[in-house]
Every structure is written in C-alpha cells, then in structure tokens.
Amino acid sequence: MAAGIMVYHFFLWSGDKYDAGTLLGRLGVYGVSVFYVLSGLTLFVVYHQKLEFKSIHQYFIKRIFRIFPLLWLCVALTIFFTSKQIDLITVLLNLSGLFGFIAPSKYIAAASWSIGNELVFYTIFPVILLVSRKYKFFPLLVVILSFLIALYFSFNILDGNRLIAYQWKLYIMPLNQLVLFVSGFFVGQLLVGKTMPQFVGPFLIVVSATAFVLYPVKGDNIHIVSGVNRIIFILMSVVLTAGFLITDIRIGKVANFFLARLGEVSYSVYLIHPIVFNFIKKQLNVTDRLSLLTFSFTGTLIISVLVYNFYEKKFIQVGQVISNYKSALIRVSK
C-alpha cells in the first residue's frame, strides 16, 4: 500500500492525471484506508492477549517511540525546504501530534494527515480492547456507530457534486476514517485464532481486488469517497485485508525477504517520498520526467532503508528499553 501510494503520487506530481476510474486513482485514496484497517487489525493481533490496564504505559511508550521520531524528522525537513511561513501553533500541533485531535487539516509534512488520524485511533484502541474484554459485543457496537458516522459523512457532509480538493478538510477528519480502523479491530476479533477453509481467504482476495479494479465509477475522486460508493469501497478494503489475514501465502525465501524489508521501511517510504520528490524536483532542479521518476523512486527506497535502520530502529529500541524499565519499576514498587 505504501509503495502504491508512492507510485500514485510520483506519477501524479510529474504530470499525469488519475481519477476515480483508474487503478492508481483508487489506490491513491484507498491505500491509506487499508492502512487504517491494518492498524486496527495488527494492534488487535499484538495486544488482544497481553494488554492490561496496569501495562497500558508500555503500549503508549512503544507507540510514541515508533511514530513520533520520523514524524518530527519529516516535519523539520518540510519546514526547512518550504518557502511558506508556518505559524508556531501549527508547528507545535504537529510536533505534539495534537493536530489529529484538534485541527486535522493543519498537517505540515505531506501525507502526515493520516498519521494524525492514526494517533487518534491509537489513543482509543486500549479503551475498545479493555472494554471488549468485559463486553464482547462492544467492538461490534463501535463498528455500527462508526459506520453510521461514515454514512452521515458520505451522504450529508461530503458533496458528490463538488471536487474532493474543495472538501479535503472534511474528508480527512478522524470521525470519517474511524470505521476503517475499528473494522480492522473487529476483523481481528472475529478471525484471529479461528480455522477457516483454505479457499475462503483467496476467494475474498480475488473478489475484493476484482471489484476494486472493475467497479464502475468515473470522474473526480469525490465519487469514491461519498454516497453509496464510499460504503462499497470501505467494504472492499475490509474484505481484502481479512482475505490476506486468513490466507497462507507462500512466496519463497527471496521474495519473502524483500517484501519483509519493504514492510519494515513502509512508514519511512510513506512519509519521506514527498520530501525526496520535492527535493529532487525543486532543489536539484531535475525537470526531465524519466530522470525525476527514476531518482525519486530509487532515492526514496535507499533513504527509507537508511532512515529505518539508523534512525527509526534506534528509537524503537529506546522505547522498548524504557517500557521494560518502567515495568520493572512498577513490579519492584509492588
């Protein structure tokens, strides 16, 4: 998904146009939606058995050290290379992550609007999980509520007759994206640890992927984020993710190695690719389209690997150490 969004942005920014009728146009929008589904699902997989109220500090420490260092780096680089004046309040909102809660449209680093949403979802995740331990129906209740909110956005707040560019601030609001995250959580609750017939996973993948590509809709991307189409594409995103969850895909050691590495650096790829593209285009003044795309793709992948291994990974390890140290102190005090 991260690579797909990078491809979409690079071709879009280099002059191509992709509307709701194109695969890249759809991937550019719903690649992020799948992120949210994956977030809810993977957090459930990791924490559904081990997260307790007394250990909730570990969860937040790890999330902080995983998300904020790269966000801070990209915010700093964006400010450094931009010619626009950015007020102090906006900077503080971005550095603290509060922009997702207070002003989602005030993101600084390109594409970081979705990180603001993720921070909101990470905050409510422990509540959903801990309450669901006592009331098993609670996640379903949250899914239904968030689905109703999505319906309200689709039919009442977003106008299918106006371009998405003029309604971007409304589309990126966390309340409009919440249904994707909690649906991922619910998929985890339904399927993790369950045995399914082998054909179910591949069937879900094929059906949802085919529908994603062939579903008949054209025009501005507002047409796939509003009205009935919004609901259909949400369902496609959730079903596709569920399909991969329950499918045992064996691709060989070599392919597995490279895809695993791409998975590790996906956060860097997602946040860094706009900075690399703009640097090559504006700072290095590369205007030839083929050169611009070639340098942007290779530069993003190389820099993302370096940033993950020599920057992100260090903070992840620090978060792990602090989390374990805090836990040890709590045990000793008891």
Side-chain angles (χ1 to χ4, degrees), residues 5 8-9 12-13 18 24-33 35-36 84 94 99-100 103-117 153 157-177 180 220-226 230 270-271 273-274:
I5 292 169
Y8 164 73
H9 279 154
L12 180 72
W13 295 335
Y18 300 100
L24 274 183
R26 297 176 182 193
L27 190 59
V29 175
Y30 279 94
V32 178
S33 299
F35 282 169
Y36 295 143
K84 297 179 181 178
N94 278 259
F99 70 100
S105 63
K106 286 188 173 293
Y107 59 95
I108 293 176
S112 65
W113 65 270
S114 62
I115 308 305
N117 282 344
F153 269 86
I157 294 182
L158 294 171
D159 184 352
N161 296 315
R162 296 181 65 219
L163 299 179
I164 192 173
Y166 298 116
Q167 305 179 78
W168 185 247
K169 293 181 179 180
L170 299 173
Y171 170 71
I172 66 174
M173 292 180 66
L175 279 176
N176 188 37
Q177 311 295 333
L180 295 153
D220 186 75
N221 281 337
I222 190 63
H223 297 307
I224 56 175
V225 300
S226 62
R230 169 65 168 167
Y270 180 68
L271 276 189
H273 79 269

Side-chain angles (χ1 to χ4, degrees), residues 319-330:
Q320 184 69 51
V321 170
I322 294 175
S323 173
N324 292 338
Y325 179 72
K326 292 275 291 182
S327 298
L329 284 180
I330 291 172

Side-chain angles (χ1 to χ4, degrees), residues 82-210:
T82 189
S83 58
K84 297 179 181 178
Q85 292 293 324
I86 303 175
D87 62 271
L88 180 60
I89 297 298
T90 299
V91 173
L92 292 176
L93 284 174
N94 278 259
L95 295 180
S96 65
L98 292 176
F99 70 100
F101 297 83
I102 298 173
S105 63
K106 286 188 173 293
Y107 59 95
I108 293 176
S112 65
W113 65 270
S114 62
I115 308 305
N117 282 344
E118 289 280 21
L119 292 173
V120 174
F121 303 154
Y122 291 160
T123 302
I124 66 174
F125 168 78
V127 177
I128 299 174
L129 181 60
L130 294 175
V131 174
S132 68
R133 296 259 178 83
K134 188 172 183 180
Y135 304 103
K136 295 295 183 182
F137 65 87
F138 185 69
L140 176 60
L141 182 64
V142 177
V143 168
I144 293 172
L145 178 60
S146 62
F147 184 75
L148 292 175
I149 294 172
L151 284 175
Y152 183 72
F153 269 86
S154 299
F155 290 96
N156 295 91
I157 294 182
L158 294 171
D159 184 352
N161 296 315
R162 296 181 65 219
L163 299 179
I164 192 173
Y166 298 116
Q167 305 179 78
W168 185 247
K169 293 181 179 180
L170 299 173
Y171 170 71
I172 66 174
M173 292 180 66
L175 279 176
N176 188 37
Q177 311 295 333
L178 179 61
V179 63
L180 295 153
F181 179 82
V182 297
S183 293
F185 182 103
F186 189 59
V187 165
Q189 187 186 50
L190 285 178
L191 300 179
V192 168
K194 306 295 193 305
T195 301
M196 303 290 292
Q198 289 187 350
F199 74 89
V200 174
F203 175 77
L204 294 179
I205 293 173
V206 170
V207 169
S208 57
T210 302

